[in-house]
Amino acid sequence: MNALSRLIKPRSVAVIGASADASKTSGRPVAYLQKHGFAGAIYPVNPKADRIGGLVCYPDIASLPEVPDVAVVLLGAERAHVAVRDLAARGCAAAIVLASGYTETGEDGARRQRLLIEAAGSMRLLGPNTIGLVNLTDNIVLSPSGALEMDEFPVGGIGVVSQSGGILGSLLSRAAARGIGLSKLIATSNEVDLELSDFIEYLAGDPATKVIALYVETVRHPERFRAACLQAALAGKPVVAFKIGRSEAGAKAAVSHTGAMAGADRMYDALFRQVGVIRAQSFADLLDVPAALATGRAMRGRRVAILTSTGGAGTLVSDDLGVAGFDTPAPDDTTAAALRALQTGSEAVLDRNPIDVTLAGLRPDLLRGAIRALLASPGYDALVIIVGSSSLAMPELLAGAIQECLPGSDKPVLAYVSPHAPEVAALLTRSGVPAFAAAESCTAALRAMVTVNRFAAETQDAGTVPPVDIDGLPSGSLDEVQAKQLFARFGVPCAPERVVTTPAEAEAAAKALGGRVVLKILSAQITHKSDVGGVAVGLDADTIGEALVRMASDVEARAGVRPDRFLVQQMVRGGTEFILGLHRDALGTAVMLGMGGVTAELFKDTTMRLVPARGALSRAEALEMARELKTWPLLDGFRGRPKADVDALVDTIVAFSAMAIQLGDRLVEAEINPIFVLPQGEGVRAADGVAVLA
């Protein structure tokens, strides 16, 4: 067994600083190990006690009769590193350090954390500032969490990794109350050593775990996280993450809690999407979505049958599914006939969806027949059963009837419990039918099941682009011409243009370019030229000279600087404006594509992809980016428009990502806005550009 396996499934546990008082935090680990049936050896360590919980108590680590697989260190931050050093010296595989007072508290805490790391040497550390871990699969609890006061917990296929200790206890107790079975729960907290990725990798190979749920404050090692999530995807184990820090206030809270800096939220969206992680949109989703995914049922389409005996609740579910893009079609003729054969009388509503089968909750035979008919129907990909008040009289019969139908199909079956009846929802969930108290939870679960079905880890291969000669590049903030010359090196087509300094030169340039032209100031300091009157469009040789003189005066009045260089550019017509940009933060480098022009920041119709460490974005990823935009129809022949040259846009996105990879940290900023996507066969043209080179 490696150190991580010994941490999660130890044969022996030492509890350093254990107390004989089980009501104290330091007394709980020994008490909980005994209470929940740990079968291995337990070694309390406390020089002031002879026995704890009926066990021999040892005065120090050196006195232990054997080297423990794992130690729970309950000492304060000023003394924990001493125990860690002694444990490492004896060859202990891993230590769990519960104390707070490390980097999350400032410089003194950072000093204590450095001491802790040095003391551990090659021994693995979980924490500090952690609540520990709980292995429900093997009855091993290495935690003082008050949630462990409960006598028993449902054991199931959901593994939880949380960067917050308190959240671990919250999820453990909430899951138990709802009948949701968990396998392992680990709180990583400050992550001085073991972190999210280590446990994702472990759970990806854990036979008892089917789904991995993450509570994320920050991803400290993006490449390791990416590799671990792809490993989980290849193992067929979905990863669901709830990421806090979406708002400015939330991000500040995350920093104060773990001492870690949070990356931009949009970057997390991009990272999660690329590695197949399902982002939980609410804390409730962090249990609801894994509970549905753990059933292992396959969602092959978006058509949902709703079986109800209460019209209002059925409409709630139907409405929310419709908003999310699901279809709730009426039963086909064959299915409707099968349903009619089950129940006669005018009270049955069988020709529409929701399918209202009155009294189904009180007649298990009717319920079983309706469920089997809907699961057998080729017109449906999933079934949501509404549990109304009439079903509460005999919940066991209800749950049993539904459970009997499950082996006949692998389609998802969910339940929405309309009245407040948490005990009924828990009973259904334990019976293999994830049950929810909100219609929105049904939608979130089905949306996740569609996403899992669609994602394929093998599509994440990087694209390949030949390297480009980057000798002789300038540095600092580049002017527009220099920026576009840089982009052109990597294969980005740019609009024809001339640099001028006088009205006469501008007139000559306009004649040479022909047709209508654009006049712009040329400055490395002023990037938002339109804001200071530095752009004029639709000019020609007769009007450009006067426009240049007027522009110079306007810019001087607004910006305090009189421009002495200008750009005359061929005016691009018949294209759709997009923005293509580069963003860097702690998570890595991302390429952004969105609706362009002066309204880009207003409408914010954008999508992002993190670029791989080597290579470039693949053409498939680039095309997927374009298709994700709300403005995609403008490229695809919206209302009679000619189809745009999407292939040329895809080539440009790939080239732009290759530039970001090859230049690395040397490329501080880069943006093309607008880039015009012309009609099919005519390519693209970069009409403006910004770049900063270190």
Side-chain angles (χ1 to χ4, degrees), residues 381-461:
D381 304 298
L383 171 62
V384 176
I385 300 169
I386 310 296
V387 179
S389 299
S390 63
S391 304
L392 303 186
M394 298 181 291
E396 290 80 8
L397 287 177
L398 170 76
I402 300 173
Q403 190 177 30
E404 286 177 30
C405 301
L406 297 181
S409 171
D410 67 349
K411 294 178 182 178
V413 180
L414 310 180
Y416 168 45
V417 182
S418 179
H420 180 67
E423 67 287 348
V424 174
L427 174 63
L428 286 165
T429 299
R430 288 194 297 269
S431 301
V433 182
F436 308 111
E440 295 80 6
S441 297
C442 297
T443 302
L446 291 174
R447 185 190 295 119
M449 297 178 99
V450 169
T451 302
V452 167
N453 190 54
R454 190 177 60 219
F455 178 78
E458 61 268 21
T459 65
Q460 303 302 306
D461 294 337

Side-chain angles (χ1 to χ4, degrees), residues 80-433:
H81 69 280
V82 177
V84 165
R85 181 176 294 112
D86 292 344
L87 288 163
R90 286 215 60 181
C92 185
I96 302 171
V97 180
L98 273 67
S100 58
Y102 292 93
T103 53
E104 76 278 3
T105 64
E107 184 50 43
D108 282 346
R111 173 188 58 80
R112 288 190 285 268
Q113 191 153 299
R114 288 192 294 271
L115 286 174
L116 194 67
I117 295 168
E118 292 168 6
S122 60
M123 182 179 69
R124 306 312 302 264
L125 284 180
L126 176 62
N129 191 26
T130 179
I131 201 70
L133 68 87
V134 178
N135 176 353
L136 293 176
T137 309
D138 301 297
N139 300 316
I140 300 169
V141 294
L142 304 175
S143 171
S145 173
L148 292 165
E149 287 292 337
M150 296 180 66
D151 291 330
E152 58 182 76
F153 302 91
V155 179
I158 301 170
V160 177
V161 189
S162 171
Q163 289 181 320
S164 164
I167 293 298
L168 184 144
S170 172
L171 291 172
L172 179 60
S173 56
R174 287 168 185 253
R178 293 187 51 198
I180 298 173
L182 307 179
S183 61
K184 317 291 192 297
L185 299 95
I186 305 112
T188 60
S189 298
N190 286 30
E191 298 187 339
V192 297
D193 174 22
L194 294 167
E195 48 104 9
L196 279 178
S197 303
D198 291 293
F199 295 106
I200 296 170
E201 289 172 358
Y202 177 87
L203 293 172
D206 176 31
T209 298
K210 298 178 181 177
V211 182
I212 301 168
L214 308 177
Y215 182 90
V216 182
E217 291 174 347
T218 187
V219 172
R220 291 179 172 85
H221 306 290
E223 285 305 312
R224 280 207 65 205
F225 180 84
R226 178 194 293 264
C229 290
L230 289 176
Q231 182 178 332
L234 288 169
K237 300 188 179 183
V239 179
V240 180
F242 180 67
K243 168 68 177 70
I244 63 164
R246 288 179 291 183
S247 66
E248 184 178 352
K252 288 178 180 176
V255 169
S256 65
H257 187 53
T258 64
M261 297 297 291
D265 196 60
R266 291 290 308 281
M267 292 285 279
Y268 278 97
D269 276 337
L271 174 61
F272 291 162
R273 183 191 299 115
Q274 283 175 269
V275 297
V277 171
I278 298 163
R279 185 162 188 174
Q281 296 303 310
S282 69
F283 184 56
D285 286 350
L286 190 55
L287 281 178
D288 291 342
V289 170
L293 294 175
T295 64
R297 293 182 165 264
M299 185 78 176
R300 297 184 177 86
R302 303 184 73 91
R303 302 165 302 170
V304 183
I306 302 169
L307 181 63
T308 183
S309 58
T310 171
T315 303
L316 275 177
V317 173
S318 177
D319 191 49
D320 199 68
L321 286 170
V323 170
F326 287 93
D327 297 324
T328 53
D332 59 77
D333 292 343
T334 302
T335 304
L339 292 169
R340 277 194 297 272
L342 298 170
Q343 178 176 335
T344 59
S346 59
E347 69 273 11
V349 181
L350 304 173
D351 60 346
R352 67 198 69 173
N353 193 5
I355 298 125
D356 195 339
V357 184
T358 305
L359 301 180
L362 298 176
R363 289 181 49 192
D365 58 330
L366 174 58
L367 183 62
R368 281 192 293 267
I371 292 172
R372 285 173 176 149
L374 293 171
L375 290 179
S377 172
Y380 296 118
D381 304 298
L383 171 62
V384 176
I385 300 169
I386 310 296
V387 179
S389 299
S390 63
S391 304
L392 303 186
M394 298 181 291
E396 290 80 8
L397 287 177
L398 170 76
I402 300 173
Q403 190 177 30
E404 286 177 30
C405 301
L406 297 181
S409 171
D410 67 349
K411 294 178 182 178
V413 180
L414 310 180
Y416 168 45
V417 182
S418 179
H420 180 67
E423 67 287 348
V424 174
L427 174 63
L428 286 165
T429 299
R430 288 194 297 269
S431 301
V433 182

Side-chain angles (χ1 to χ4, degrees), residues 462-676:
T464 56
V465 175
V468 171
D469 179 12
I470 55 174
D471 290 339
L473 289 178
S475 61
S477 181
L478 309 187
D479 64 34
E480 181 182 337
V481 170
Q482 292 173 315
K484 286 190 287 189
Q485 287 172 345
L486 171 64
F487 303 152
R489 286 196 189 203
F490 286 87
V492 177
C494 300
E497 58 194 22
R498 301 280 193 280
V499 178
V500 301
T501 57
T502 66
E505 290 178 357
E507 291 172 11
K511 288 179 181 178
L513 292 171
R516 297 288 177 178
V517 295
V518 179
L519 176 68
K520 297 185 271 188
I521 60 170
L522 186 58
S523 168
Q525 287 70 47
I526 302 174
T527 55
H528 298 289
K529 297 180 281 290
S530 297
D531 295 349
V532 296
V535 179
V537 301
L539 303 174
D540 58 21
D542 296 329
T543 57
I544 197 168
E546 183 181 343
L548 185 147
V549 174
R550 186 169 56 252
M551 181 179 289
S553 299
D554 289 347
V555 171
E556 184 177 23
R558 296 184 188 182
V561 178
R562 188 173 184 86
D564 56 7
R565 299 170 71 230
F566 300 83
L567 190 63
V568 180
Q569 186 181 85
Q570 189 179 79
M571 191 167 173
V572 181
R573 295 178 178 274
T576 304
E577 295 182 53
F578 286 84
I579 181 172
L580 187 58
L582 178 81
H583 177 76
R584 293 188 189 277
D585 77 356
L587 282 183
T589 302
V591 169
M592 182 192 75
L593 176 70
M595 180 181 180
V598 294
T599 58
E601 293 182 24
L602 177 63
F603 293 110
K604 296 180 180 177
D605 178 23
T606 61
T607 185
M608 299 175 74
R609 288 294 186 280
L610 283 162
V611 295
R614 292 173 295 278
L617 291 176
S618 67
R619 288 183 57 81
E621 286 180 293
L623 178 59
E624 189 179 54
M625 289 177 73
R627 289 182 178 274
E628 285 172 1
L629 297 174
K630 294 175 184 175
T631 40
W632 162 253
L634 296 178
L635 297 175
D636 199 37
F638 179 70
R639 301 193 71 171
R641 289 170 62 103
K643 289 201 172 189
D645 201 333
V646 174
D647 284 341
L649 175 61
V650 166
D651 289 340
T652 302
I653 296 169
V654 172
F656 195 82
S657 71
M659 175 182 69
I661 292 301
Q662 187 172 345
L663 292 176
D665 291 342
R666 189 175 176 188
L667 184 61
V668 180
E669 292 182 47
E671 180 182 284
I672 305 172
N673 184 26
I675 183 165
F676 286 91

